[in-house]
Amino acid sequence: GQQLNQSPQSMFIQEGEDVSMNCTSSSIFNTWLWYKQDPGEGPVLLIALYKAGELTSNGRLTAQFGITRKDSFLNISASIPSDVGIYFCAGMIYNQGGKLIFGQGTELSVKP
Amino acid sequence: DTAVSQTPKYLVTQMGNDKSIKCEQNLGHDTMYWYKQDSKKFLKIMFSYNNKELIINETVPNRFSPKSPDKAHLNLHINSLELGDSAVYFCASSQELAKNIQYFGAGTRLSVL
């Protein structure tokens, strides 16, 4: 079945640093989504990408839908302590009933 | 106003018991989902319903039975609970299947002893 490989698995950074994480797959996806999960909460959508090559920003976050449709990255600039959490990529293929395939997550720790 | 709400937040029970988790969304969405998050935080879809009709059943044991009384509710009933059922279960909803921005509830942490 489809799988997403998300890396890195975890990151420990200093406040103010930039962060980059990515997801790759052997399958082509029509939609890429990036979610953040805080402890004890459900995933919250950060950015949605619908077209190959699309580059979208949401404040300090920027994400891109890879040209091949098999990958996506998320960058966080000038990290702050509240960026701590688990970031998930998720891909969707049309005509599969809305099924989202999730990456394994990137756990981000930010040291003040 | 909570968009996707699920109850209970925590559920501790003995092996062999039957339990239910309820989910309601007030977003007017047509599609609802159940996901399971394991101890390694991996999220995997279990079911999806569109307008009360089952769309996805992702090879889940038939001890798990979703029930959608209307398009705003999707409950999950689990029979004969097993230790391996311990996980966090998330309900989600989306407006449509195509662009599929899914909104998640806060999760139900199920512990089977």
PDB file of all heavy atoms in Angstrom, chain A residues 33 35 37 40-43 45 50 86 88 92 94 96-100 102-103, chain B residues 9 35 37 41-42 45 48 55-56 58 90 97-102 104-106:
ATOM      1  N   LEU A  33      -1.014  17.560   2.820  1.00  0.00           N
ATOM      2  CA  LEU A  33      -1.412  18.376   3.960  1.00  0.00           C
ATOM      3  C   LEU A  33      -0.329  18.283   5.029  1.00  0.00           C
ATOM      4  O   LEU A  33       0.311  17.237   5.188  1.00  0.00           O
ATOM      5  CB  LEU A  33      -2.750  17.888   4.549  1.00  0.00           C
ATOM      6  CG  LEU A  33      -3.940  17.809   3.587  1.00  0.00           C
ATOM      7  CD1 LEU A  33      -5.141  17.161   4.290  1.00  0.00           C
ATOM      8  CD2 LEU A  33      -4.316  19.183   3.082  1.00  0.00           C
ATOM      9  N   TYR A  35       0.090  18.836   9.167  1.00  0.00           N
ATOM     10  CA  TYR A  35      -0.618  19.004  10.432  1.00  0.00           C
ATOM     11  C   TYR A  35       0.397  19.134  11.566  1.00  0.00           C
ATOM     12  O   TYR A  35       1.515  18.639  11.486  1.00  0.00           O
ATOM     13  CB  TYR A  35      -1.493  17.777  10.735  1.00  0.00           C
ATOM     14  CG  TYR A  35      -2.769  17.674   9.951  1.00  0.00           C
ATOM     15  CD1 TYR A  35      -2.803  17.035   8.712  1.00  0.00           C
ATOM     16  CD2 TYR A  35      -3.965  18.172  10.458  1.00  0.00           C
ATOM     17  CE1 TYR A  35      -3.990  16.916   8.002  1.00  0.00           C
ATOM     18  CE2 TYR A  35      -5.151  18.052   9.761  1.00  0.00           C
ATOM     19  CZ  TYR A  35      -5.158  17.420   8.532  1.00  0.00           C
ATOM     20  OH  TYR A  35      -6.337  17.300   7.837  1.00  0.00           O
ATOM     21  N   GLN A  37       0.480  18.405  15.844  1.00  0.00           N
ATOM     22  CA  GLN A  37      -0.224  17.830  16.980  1.00  0.00           C
ATOM     23  C   GLN A  37       0.466  18.233  18.276  1.00  0.00           C
ATOM     24  O   GLN A  37       1.657  17.963  18.468  1.00  0.00           O
ATOM     25  CB  GLN A  37      -0.287  16.300  16.866  1.00  0.00           C
ATOM     26  CG  GLN A  37      -1.113  15.654  17.959  1.00  0.00           C
ATOM     27  CD  GLN A  37      -1.209  14.142  17.805  1.00  0.00           C
ATOM     28  OE1 GLN A  37      -0.422  13.510  17.109  1.00  0.00           O
ATOM     29  NE2 GLN A  37      -2.182  13.536  18.456  1.00  0.00           N
ATOM     30  N   GLY A  40      -1.827  15.651  23.866  1.00  0.00           N
ATOM     31  CA  GLY A  40      -3.201  15.541  24.350  1.00  0.00           C
ATOM     32  C   GLY A  40      -4.245  16.152  23.442  1.00  0.00           C
ATOM     33  O   GLY A  40      -5.419  16.263  23.830  1.00  0.00           O
ATOM     34  N   GLU A  41      -3.823  16.532  22.251  1.00  0.00           N
ATOM     35  CA  GLU A  41      -4.763  17.148  21.308  1.00  0.00           C
ATOM     36  C   GLU A  41      -4.748  16.400  19.981  1.00  0.00           C
ATOM     37  O   GLU A  41      -3.895  15.547  19.735  1.00  0.00           O
ATOM     38  CB  GLU A  41      -4.392  18.614  21.058  1.00  0.00           C
ATOM     39  CG  GLU A  41      -4.424  19.491  22.289  1.00  0.00           C
ATOM     40  CD  GLU A  41      -5.826  19.638  22.865  1.00  0.00           C
ATOM     41  OE1 GLU A  41      -6.795  19.587  22.083  1.00  0.00           O
ATOM     42  OE2 GLU A  41      -5.946  19.754  24.099  1.00  0.00           O
ATOM     43  N   GLY A  42      -5.719  16.753  19.134  1.00  0.00           N
ATOM     44  CA  GLY A  42      -5.734  16.179  17.796  1.00  0.00           C
ATOM     45  C   GLY A  42      -4.900  17.003  16.842  1.00  0.00           C
ATOM     46  O   GLY A  42      -4.542  18.150  17.137  1.00  0.00           O
ATOM     47  N   PRO A  43      -4.557  16.439  15.684  1.00  0.00           N
ATOM     48  CA  PRO A  43      -3.792  17.184  14.684  1.00  0.00           C
ATOM     49  C   PRO A  43      -4.570  18.405  14.203  1.00  0.00           C
ATOM     50  O   PRO A  43      -5.784  18.344  14.007  1.00  0.00           O
ATOM     51  CB  PRO A  43      -3.621  16.169  13.549  1.00  0.00           C
ATOM     52  CG  PRO A  43      -3.825  14.832  14.180  1.00  0.00           C
ATOM     53  CD  PRO A  43      -4.818  15.048  15.261  1.00  0.00           C
ATOM     54  N   LEU A  45      -4.589  21.393  11.195  1.00  0.00           N
ATOM     55  CA  LEU A  45      -4.061  21.670   9.852  1.00  0.00           C
ATOM     56  C   LEU A  45      -3.244  22.951   9.841  1.00  0.00           C
ATOM     57  O   LEU A  45      -3.660  23.987  10.359  1.00  0.00           O
ATOM     58  CB  LEU A  45      -5.208  21.792   8.853  1.00  0.00           C
ATOM     59  CG  LEU A  45      -4.757  22.040   7.415  1.00  0.00           C
ATOM     60  CD1 LEU A  45      -4.147  20.767   6.838  1.00  0.00           C
ATOM     61  CD2 LEU A  45      -5.917  22.516   6.548  1.00  0.00           C
ATOM     62  N   TYR A  50      -2.369  21.635  -3.216  1.00  0.00           N
ATOM     63  CA  TYR A  50      -3.219  20.908  -4.155  1.00  0.00           C
ATOM     64  C   TYR A  50      -2.603  20.734  -5.543  1.00  0.00           C
ATOM     65  O   TYR A  50      -3.127  19.953  -6.341  1.00  0.00           O
ATOM     66  CB  TYR A  50      -4.565  21.615  -4.299  1.00  0.00           C
ATOM     67  CG  TYR A  50      -5.317  21.731  -2.991  1.00  0.00           C
ATOM     68  CD1 TYR A  50      -5.472  22.967  -2.369  1.00  0.00           C
ATOM     69  CD2 TYR A  50      -5.852  20.604  -2.376  1.00  0.00           C
ATOM     70  CE1 TYR A  50      -6.163  23.076  -1.166  1.00  0.00           C
ATOM     71  CE2 TYR A  50      -6.543  20.710  -1.177  1.00  0.00           C
ATOM     72  CZ  TYR A  50      -6.695  21.948  -0.579  1.00  0.00           C
ATOM     73  OH  TYR A  50      -7.376  22.044   0.601  1.00  0.00           O
ATOM     74  N   ILE A  86       4.444  17.647  17.408  1.00  0.00           N
ATOM     75  CA  ILE A  86       4.718  16.645  16.370  1.00  0.00           C
ATOM     76  C   ILE A  86       4.088  17.140  15.072  1.00  0.00           C
ATOM     77  O   ILE A  86       2.898  17.469  15.036  1.00  0.00           O
ATOM     78  CB  ILE A  86       4.162  15.267  16.741  1.00  0.00           C
ATOM     79  CG1 ILE A  86       4.732  14.800  18.077  1.00  0.00           C
ATOM     80  CG2 ILE A  86       4.519  14.258  15.645  1.00  0.00           C
ATOM     81  CD1 ILE A  86       4.185  13.466  18.542  1.00  0.00           C
ATOM     82  N   PHE A  88       3.080  16.336  11.176  1.00  0.00           N
ATOM     83  CA  PHE A  88       2.765  15.223  10.286  1.00  0.00           C
ATOM     84  C   PHE A  88       2.506  15.725   8.874  1.00  0.00           C
ATOM     85  O   PHE A  88       1.789  16.712   8.675  1.00  0.00           O
ATOM     86  CB  PHE A  88       1.488  14.498  10.736  1.00  0.00           C
ATOM     87  CG  PHE A  88       1.615  13.727  12.012  1.00  0.00           C
ATOM     88  CD1 PHE A  88       1.197  14.275  13.216  1.00  0.00           C
ATOM     89  CD2 PHE A  88       2.139  12.435  12.014  1.00  0.00           C
ATOM     90  CE1 PHE A  88       1.307  13.561  14.398  1.00  0.00           C
ATOM     91  CE2 PHE A  88       2.241  11.712  13.194  1.00  0.00           C
ATOM     92  CZ  PHE A  88       1.838  12.286  14.391  1.00  0.00           C
ATOM     93  N   MET A  92      -3.062  12.495   0.005  1.00  0.00           N
ATOM     94  CA  MET A  92      -4.333  11.922  -0.412  1.00  0.00           C
ATOM     95  C   MET A  92      -4.341  11.684  -1.915  1.00  0.00           C
ATOM     96  O   MET A  92      -3.808  12.494  -2.679  1.00  0.00           O
ATOM     97  CB  MET A  92      -5.495  12.845  -0.069  1.00  0.00           C
ATOM     98  CG  MET A  92      -6.855  12.182  -0.271  1.00  0.00           C
ATOM     99  SD  MET A  92      -8.233  13.319  -0.254  1.00  0.00           S
ATOM    100  CE  MET A  92      -8.021  14.131  -1.827  1.00  0.00           C
ATOM    101  N   TYR A  94      -6.992  11.005  -5.033  1.00  0.00           N
ATOM    102  CA  TYR A  94      -8.414  11.097  -5.348  1.00  0.00           C
ATOM    103  C   TYR A  94      -8.996   9.703  -5.580  1.00  0.00           C
ATOM    104  O   TYR A  94      -8.305   8.769  -5.930  1.00  0.00           O
ATOM    105  CB  TYR A  94      -8.634  11.939  -6.613  1.00  0.00           C
ATOM    106  CG  TYR A  94      -8.318  13.396  -6.452  1.00  0.00           C
ATOM    107  CD1 TYR A  94      -8.052  14.199  -7.548  1.00  0.00           C
ATOM    108  CD2 TYR A  94      -8.264  13.996  -5.198  1.00  0.00           C
ATOM    109  CE1 TYR A  94      -7.758  15.538  -7.422  1.00  0.00           C
ATOM    110  CE2 TYR A  94      -7.961  15.333  -5.057  1.00  0.00           C
ATOM    111  CZ  TYR A  94      -7.720  16.106  -6.175  1.00  0.00           C
ATOM    112  OH  TYR A  94      -7.423  17.434  -6.049  1.00  0.00           O
ATOM    113  N   GLN A  96     -10.155   7.635  -3.541  1.00  0.00           N
ATOM    114  CA  GLN A  96      -9.906   6.639  -2.499  1.00  0.00           C
ATOM    115  C   GLN A  96     -10.708   6.974  -1.250  1.00  0.00           C
ATOM    116  O   GLN A  96     -10.276   6.702  -0.130  1.00  0.00           O
ATOM    117  CB  GLN A  96      -8.409   6.552  -2.173  1.00  0.00           C
ATOM    118  CG  GLN A  96      -7.628   5.862  -3.268  1.00  0.00           C
ATOM    119  CD  GLN A  96      -6.292   5.318  -2.781  1.00  0.00           C
ATOM    120  OE1 GLN A  96      -5.907   5.523  -1.630  1.00  0.00           O
ATOM    121  NE2 GLN A  96      -5.578   4.641  -3.662  1.00  0.00           N
ATOM    122  N   GLY A  97     -11.858   7.588  -1.460  1.00  0.00           N
ATOM    123  CA  GLY A  97     -12.770   7.825  -0.349  1.00  0.00           C
ATOM    124  C   GLY A  97     -12.271   8.807   0.675  1.00  0.00           C
ATOM    125  O   GLY A  97     -12.722   8.791   1.820  1.00  0.00           O
ATOM    126  N   GLY A  98     -11.350   9.689   0.269  1.00  0.00           N
ATOM    127  CA  GLY A  98     -10.858  10.690   1.200  1.00  0.00           C
ATOM    128  C   GLY A  98      -9.797  10.181   2.150  1.00  0.00           C
ATOM    129  O   GLY A  98      -9.459  10.847   3.125  1.00  0.00           O
ATOM    130  N   LYS A  99      -9.246   9.004   1.863  1.00  0.00           N
ATOM    131  CA  LYS A  99      -8.263   8.421   2.777  1.00  0.00           C
ATOM    132  C   LYS A  99      -6.989   9.256   2.790  1.00  0.00           C
ATOM    133  O   LYS A  99      -6.412   9.545   1.756  1.00  0.00           O
ATOM    134  CB  LYS A  99      -7.945   6.993   2.341  1.00  0.00           C
ATOM    135  CG  LYS A  99      -6.908   6.319   3.227  1.00  0.00           C
ATOM    136  CD  LYS A  99      -6.817   4.826   2.962  1.00  0.00           C
ATOM    137  CE  LYS A  99      -6.107   4.477   1.710  1.00  0.00           C
ATOM    138  NZ  LYS A  99      -5.886   3.018   1.594  1.00  0.00           N
ATOM    139  N   LEU A 100      -6.554   9.648   3.987  1.00  0.00           N
ATOM    140  CA  LEU A 100      -5.278  10.325   4.174  1.00  0.00           C
ATOM    141  C   LEU A 100      -4.245   9.311   4.622  1.00  0.00           C
ATOM    142  O   LEU A 100      -4.498   8.524   5.541  1.00  0.00           O
ATOM    143  CB  LEU A 100      -5.376  11.424   5.228  1.00  0.00           C
ATOM    144  CG  LEU A 100      -6.016  12.764   4.836  1.00  0.00           C
ATOM    145  CD1 LEU A 100      -6.014  13.705   6.033  1.00  0.00           C
ATOM    146  CD2 LEU A 100      -5.304  13.386   3.658  1.00  0.00           C
ATOM    147  N   PHE A 102      -0.696   9.110   6.389  1.00  0.00           N
ATOM    148  CA  PHE A 102       0.134   9.968   7.222  1.00  0.00           C
ATOM    149  C   PHE A 102       1.580   9.506   7.237  1.00  0.00           C
ATOM    150  O   PHE A 102       1.865   8.294   7.210  1.00  0.00           O
ATOM    151  CB  PHE A 102      -0.399   9.987   8.660  1.00  0.00           C
ATOM    152  CG  PHE A 102      -1.546  10.926   8.862  1.00  0.00           C
ATOM    153  CD1 PHE A 102      -2.839  10.526   8.593  1.00  0.00           C
ATOM    154  CD2 PHE A 102      -1.326  12.210   9.323  1.00  0.00           C
ATOM    155  CE1 PHE A 102      -3.908  11.397   8.776  1.00  0.00           C
ATOM    156  CE2 PHE A 102      -2.381  13.092   9.513  1.00  0.00           C
ATOM    157  CZ  PHE A 102      -3.676  12.684   9.239  1.00  0.00           C
ATOM    158  N   GLY A 103       2.493  10.473   7.330  1.00  0.00           N
ATOM    159  CA  GLY A 103       3.877  10.169   7.620  1.00  0.00           C
ATOM    160  C   GLY A 103       4.019   9.816   9.095  1.00  0.00           C
ATOM    161  O   GLY A 103       3.060   9.911   9.872  1.00  0.00           O
TER     162      GLY A 103
ATOM    163  N   LYS B   9     -12.878  11.523  26.810  1.00  0.00           N
ATOM    164  CA  LYS B   9     -11.491  11.874  26.542  1.00  0.00           C
ATOM    165  C   LYS B   9     -10.564  10.718  26.931  1.00  0.00           C
ATOM    166  O   LYS B   9      -9.570  10.451  26.280  1.00  0.00           O
ATOM    167  CB  LYS B   9     -11.116  13.129  27.336  1.00  0.00           C
ATOM    168  CG  LYS B   9      -9.662  13.559  27.214  1.00  0.00           C
ATOM    169  CD  LYS B   9      -9.431  14.419  26.006  1.00  0.00           C
ATOM    170  CE  LYS B   9      -8.030  15.004  26.031  1.00  0.00           C
ATOM    171  NZ  LYS B   9      -7.642  15.590  24.744  1.00  0.00           N
ATOM    172  N   TYR B  35      -9.701   7.458  13.080  1.00  0.00           N
ATOM    173  CA  TYR B  35      -8.302   7.104  12.958  1.00  0.00           C
ATOM    174  C   TYR B  35      -7.833   6.487  14.278  1.00  0.00           C
ATOM    175  O   TYR B  35      -8.348   6.813  15.348  1.00  0.00           O
ATOM    176  CB  TYR B  35      -7.438   8.342  12.702  1.00  0.00           C
ATOM    177  CG  TYR B  35      -7.538   8.909  11.310  1.00  0.00           C
ATOM    178  CD1 TYR B  35      -8.571   9.777  10.972  1.00  0.00           C
ATOM    179  CD2 TYR B  35      -6.603   8.583  10.336  1.00  0.00           C
ATOM    180  CE1 TYR B  35      -8.663  10.310   9.691  1.00  0.00           C
ATOM    181  CE2 TYR B  35      -6.690   9.105   9.057  1.00  0.00           C
ATOM    182  CZ  TYR B  35      -7.721   9.969   8.745  1.00  0.00           C
ATOM    183  OH  TYR B  35      -7.808  10.488   7.481  1.00  0.00           O
ATOM    184  N   GLN B  37      -4.295   6.090  16.549  1.00  0.00           N
ATOM    185  CA  GLN B  37      -2.900   6.495  16.710  1.00  0.00           C
ATOM    186  C   GLN B  37      -2.243   5.569  17.728  1.00  0.00           C
ATOM    187  O   GLN B  37      -2.666   5.527  18.886  1.00  0.00           O
ATOM    188  CB  GLN B  37      -2.790   7.951  17.162  1.00  0.00           C
ATOM    189  CG  GLN B  37      -1.351   8.468  17.193  1.00  0.00           C
ATOM    190  CD  GLN B  37      -1.255   9.947  17.464  1.00  0.00           C
ATOM    191  OE1 GLN B  37      -1.896  10.470  18.370  1.00  0.00           O
ATOM    192  NE2 GLN B  37      -0.450  10.655  16.668  1.00  0.00           N
ATOM    193  N   LYS B  41       2.857   7.013  17.760  1.00  0.00           N
ATOM    194  CA  LYS B  41       2.225   8.216  17.195  1.00  0.00           C
ATOM    195  C   LYS B  41       1.814   8.058  15.733  1.00  0.00           C
ATOM    196  O   LYS B  41       1.456   9.043  15.088  1.00  0.00           O
ATOM    197  CB  LYS B  41       3.139   9.459  17.309  1.00  0.00           C
ATOM    198  CG  LYS B  41       3.603   9.746  18.712  1.00  0.00           C
ATOM    199  CD  LYS B  41       2.435  10.051  19.626  1.00  0.00           C
ATOM    200  CE  LYS B  41       2.931  10.404  21.017  1.00  0.00           C
ATOM    201  NZ  LYS B  41       1.800  10.571  21.969  1.00  0.00           N
ATOM    202  N   PHE B  42       1.862   6.816  15.222  1.00  0.00           N
ATOM    203  CA  PHE B  42       1.477   6.614  13.832  1.00  0.00           C
ATOM    204  C   PHE B  42      -0.032   6.662  13.699  1.00  0.00           C
ATOM    205  O   PHE B  42      -0.744   5.971  14.428  1.00  0.00           O
ATOM    206  CB  PHE B  42       2.026   5.285  13.326  1.00  0.00           C
ATOM    207  CG  PHE B  42       1.744   5.046  11.876  1.00  0.00           C
ATOM    208  CD1 PHE B  42       2.285   5.881  10.910  1.00  0.00           C
ATOM    209  CD2 PHE B  42       0.933   3.998  11.470  1.00  0.00           C
ATOM    210  CE1 PHE B  42       2.022   5.672   9.569  1.00  0.00           C
ATOM    211  CE2 PHE B  42       0.672   3.789  10.128  1.00  0.00           C
ATOM    212  CZ  PHE B  42       1.211   4.626   9.177  1.00  0.00           C
ATOM    213  N   ILE B  45      -5.942   5.436   9.187  1.00  0.00           N
ATOM    214  CA  ILE B  45      -7.390   5.522   9.040  1.00  0.00           C
ATOM    215  C   ILE B  45      -8.023   4.157   9.306  1.00  0.00           C
ATOM    216  O   ILE B  45      -7.446   3.111   8.997  1.00  0.00           O
ATOM    217  CB  ILE B  45      -7.790   6.036   7.646  1.00  0.00           C
ATOM    218  CG1 ILE B  45      -9.265   6.411   7.627  1.00  0.00           C
ATOM    219  CG2 ILE B  45      -7.429   5.028   6.560  1.00  0.00           C
ATOM    220  CD1 ILE B  45      -9.679   7.256   6.478  1.00  0.00           C
ATOM    221  N   SER B  48     -14.331   5.605   7.073  1.00  0.00           N
ATOM    222  CA  SER B  48     -14.913   6.895   6.740  1.00  0.00           C
ATOM    223  C   SER B  48     -16.362   6.689   6.299  1.00  0.00           C
ATOM    224  O   SER B  48     -16.703   5.632   5.725  1.00  0.00           O
ATOM    225  CB  SER B  48     -14.127   7.619   5.643  1.00  0.00           C
ATOM    226  OG  SER B  48     -14.421   7.087   4.374  1.00  0.00           O
ATOM    227  N   ILE B  55     -17.739   4.405   3.459  1.00  0.00           N
ATOM    228  CA  ILE B  55     -16.913   4.570   2.266  1.00  0.00           C
ATOM    229  C   ILE B  55     -15.632   3.777   2.393  1.00  0.00           C
ATOM    230  O   ILE B  55     -15.188   3.109   1.469  1.00  0.00           O
ATOM    231  CB  ILE B  55     -16.576   6.057   2.029  1.00  0.00           C
ATOM    232  CG1 ILE B  55     -17.850   6.889   1.910  1.00  0.00           C
ATOM    233  CG2 ILE B  55     -15.688   6.232   0.810  1.00  0.00           C
ATOM    234  CD1 ILE B  55     -18.701   6.560   0.698  1.00  0.00           C
ATOM    235  N   ILE B  56     -14.977   3.889   3.542  1.00  0.00           N
ATOM    236  CA  ILE B  56     -13.706   3.205   3.775  1.00  0.00           C
ATOM    237  C   ILE B  56     -13.846   2.289   4.982  1.00  0.00           C
ATOM    238  O   ILE B  56     -14.363   2.686   6.021  1.00  0.00           O
ATOM    239  CB  ILE B  56     -12.561   4.201   4.061  1.00  0.00           C
ATOM    240  CG1 ILE B  56     -12.270   5.072   2.856  1.00  0.00           C
ATOM    241  CG2 ILE B  56     -11.296   3.466   4.504  1.00  0.00           C
ATOM    242  CD1 ILE B  56     -11.251   6.167   3.142  1.00  0.00           C
ATOM    243  N   GLU B  58     -10.938   0.043   6.530  1.00  0.00           N
ATOM    244  CA  GLU B  58      -9.527  -0.232   6.256  1.00  0.00           C
ATOM    245  C   GLU B  58      -9.042  -1.458   7.014  1.00  0.00           C
ATOM    246  O   GLU B  58      -8.213  -1.359   7.910  1.00  0.00           O
ATOM    247  CB  GLU B  58      -8.708   1.012   6.624  1.00  0.00           C
ATOM    248  CG  GLU B  58      -7.333   1.070   6.053  1.00  0.00           C
ATOM    249  CD  GLU B  58      -7.271   1.267   4.554  1.00  0.00           C
ATOM    250  OE1 GLU B  58      -8.290   1.517   3.905  1.00  0.00           O
ATOM    251  OE2 GLU B  58      -6.168   1.159   4.007  1.00  0.00           O
ATOM    252  N   PHE B  90      -8.992   8.978  17.079  1.00  0.00           N
ATOM    253  CA  PHE B  90      -9.376  10.317  16.651  1.00  0.00           C
ATOM    254  C   PHE B  90     -10.519  10.252  15.656  1.00  0.00           C
ATOM    255  O   PHE B  90     -10.496   9.464  14.702  1.00  0.00           O
ATOM    256  CB  PHE B  90      -8.206  11.042  15.983  1.00  0.00           C
ATOM    257  CG  PHE B  90      -7.138  11.481  16.929  1.00  0.00           C
ATOM    258  CD1 PHE B  90      -5.976  10.726  17.072  1.00  0.00           C
ATOM    259  CD2 PHE B  90      -7.286  12.632  17.685  1.00  0.00           C
ATOM    260  CE1 PHE B  90      -4.982  11.129  17.956  1.00  0.00           C
ATOM    261  CE2 PHE B  90      -6.295  13.032  18.569  1.00  0.00           C
ATOM    262  CZ  PHE B  90      -5.143  12.284  18.705  1.00  0.00           C
ATOM    263  N   LEU B  97     -15.004  14.939  -0.212  1.00  0.00           N
ATOM    264  CA  LEU B  97     -13.951  13.953  -0.364  1.00  0.00           C
ATOM    265  C   LEU B  97     -12.789  14.467  -1.199  1.00  0.00           C
ATOM    266  O   LEU B  97     -11.668  14.061  -1.042  1.00  0.00           O
ATOM    267  CB  LEU B  97     -14.516  12.683  -1.015  1.00  0.00           C
ATOM    268  CG  LEU B  97     -15.557  11.920  -0.192  1.00  0.00           C
ATOM    269  CD1 LEU B  97     -16.086  10.745  -0.994  1.00  0.00           C
ATOM    270  CD2 LEU B  97     -14.964  11.450   1.108  1.00  0.00           C
ATOM    271  N   ALA B  98     -13.075  15.399  -2.117  1.00  0.00           N
ATOM    272  CA  ALA B  98     -12.067  15.788  -3.110  1.00  0.00           C
ATOM    273  C   ALA B  98     -10.920  16.575  -2.490  1.00  0.00           C
ATOM    274  O   ALA B  98      -9.781  16.155  -2.535  1.00  0.00           O
ATOM    275  CB  ALA B  98     -12.717  16.566  -4.222  1.00  0.00           C
ATOM    276  N   LYS B  99     -11.190  17.731  -1.919  1.00  0.00           N
ATOM    277  CA  LYS B  99     -10.110  18.554  -1.392  1.00  0.00           C
ATOM    278  C   LYS B  99      -9.784  18.191   0.048  1.00  0.00           C
ATOM    279  O   LYS B  99      -8.746  18.555   0.554  1.00  0.00           O
ATOM    280  CB  LYS B  99     -10.479  20.033  -1.511  1.00  0.00           C
ATOM    281  CG  LYS B  99     -10.495  20.498  -2.956  1.00  0.00           C
ATOM    282  CD  LYS B  99      -9.943  21.878  -3.113  1.00  0.00           C
ATOM    283  CE  LYS B  99      -9.655  22.168  -4.575  1.00  0.00           C
ATOM    284  NZ  LYS B  99      -9.184  23.537  -4.807  1.00  0.00           N
ATOM    285  N   ASN B 100     -10.685  17.570   0.693  1.00  0.00           N
ATOM    286  CA  ASN B 100     -10.417  16.786   1.887  1.00  0.00           C
ATOM    287  C   ASN B 100      -9.551  17.418   2.964  1.00  0.00           C
ATOM    288  O   ASN B 100      -8.597  16.807   3.421  1.00  0.00           O
ATOM    289  CB  ASN B 100      -9.769  15.462   1.485  1.00  0.00           C
ATOM    290  CG  ASN B 100      -9.939  14.434   2.575  1.00  0.00           C
ATOM    291  OD1 ASN B 100     -10.952  14.423   3.252  1.00  0.00           O
ATOM    292  ND2 ASN B 100      -8.961  13.584   2.758  1.00  0.00           N
ATOM    293  N   ILE B 101      -9.840  18.640   3.391  1.00  0.00           N
ATOM    294  CA  ILE B 101      -9.187  19.150   4.590  1.00  0.00           C
ATOM    295  C   ILE B 101      -9.939  18.536   5.750  1.00  0.00           C
ATOM    296  O   ILE B 101     -11.119  18.798   5.953  1.00  0.00           O
ATOM    297  CB  ILE B 101      -9.241  20.684   4.656  1.00  0.00           C
ATOM    298  CG1 ILE B 101      -8.396  21.278   3.538  1.00  0.00           C
ATOM    299  CG2 ILE B 101      -8.756  21.163   6.014  1.00  0.00           C
ATOM    300  CD1 ILE B 101      -8.431  22.778   3.488  1.00  0.00           C
ATOM    301  N   GLN B 102      -9.270  17.694   6.503  1.00  0.00           N
ATOM    302  CA  GLN B 102      -9.907  16.997   7.603  1.00  0.00           C
ATOM    303  C   GLN B 102      -9.619  17.715   8.915  1.00  0.00           C
ATOM    304  O   GLN B 102      -8.477  18.082   9.200  1.00  0.00           O
ATOM    305  CB  GLN B 102      -9.424  15.548   7.663  1.00  0.00           C
ATOM    306  CG  GLN B 102      -9.893  14.759   6.444  1.00  0.00           C
ATOM    307  CD  GLN B 102      -9.505  13.306   6.482  1.00  0.00           C
ATOM    308  OE1 GLN B 102      -9.198  12.755   7.529  1.00  0.00           O
ATOM    309  NE2 GLN B 102      -9.541  12.670   5.324  1.00  0.00           N
ATOM    310  N   PHE B 104      -9.810  17.450  13.013  1.00  0.00           N
ATOM    311  CA  PHE B 104      -9.737  16.368  13.983  1.00  0.00           C
ATOM    312  C   PHE B 104     -10.299  16.778  15.344  1.00  0.00           C
ATOM    313  O   PHE B 104     -10.178  17.942  15.761  1.00  0.00           O
ATOM    314  CB  PHE B 104      -8.287  15.925  14.174  1.00  0.00           C
ATOM    315  CG  PHE B 104      -7.773  15.089  13.031  1.00  0.00           C
ATOM    316  CD1 PHE B 104      -7.385  15.673  11.837  1.00  0.00           C
ATOM    317  CD2 PHE B 104      -7.677  13.707  13.155  1.00  0.00           C
ATOM    318  CE1 PHE B 104      -6.929  14.903  10.779  1.00  0.00           C
ATOM    319  CE2 PHE B 104      -7.214  12.929  12.099  1.00  0.00           C
ATOM    320  CZ  PHE B 104      -6.839  13.526  10.921  1.00  0.00           C
ATOM    321  N   GLY B 105     -10.873  15.794  16.033  1.00  0.00           N
ATOM    322  CA  GLY B 105     -11.227  15.973  17.429  1.00  0.00           C
ATOM    323  C   GLY B 105      -9.984  15.862  18.301  1.00  0.00           C
ATOM    324  O   GLY B 105      -8.873  15.630  17.803  1.00  0.00           O
ATOM    325  N   ALA B 106     -10.175  15.982  19.609  1.00  0.00           N
ATOM    326  CA  ALA B 106      -9.050  15.984  20.546  1.00  0.00           C
ATOM    327  C   ALA B 106      -8.581  14.581  20.917  1.00  0.00           C
ATOM    328  O   ALA B 106      -7.563  14.433  21.584  1.00  0.00           O
ATOM    329  CB  ALA B 106      -9.417  16.764  21.802  1.00  0.00           C
TER     330      ALA B 106
END
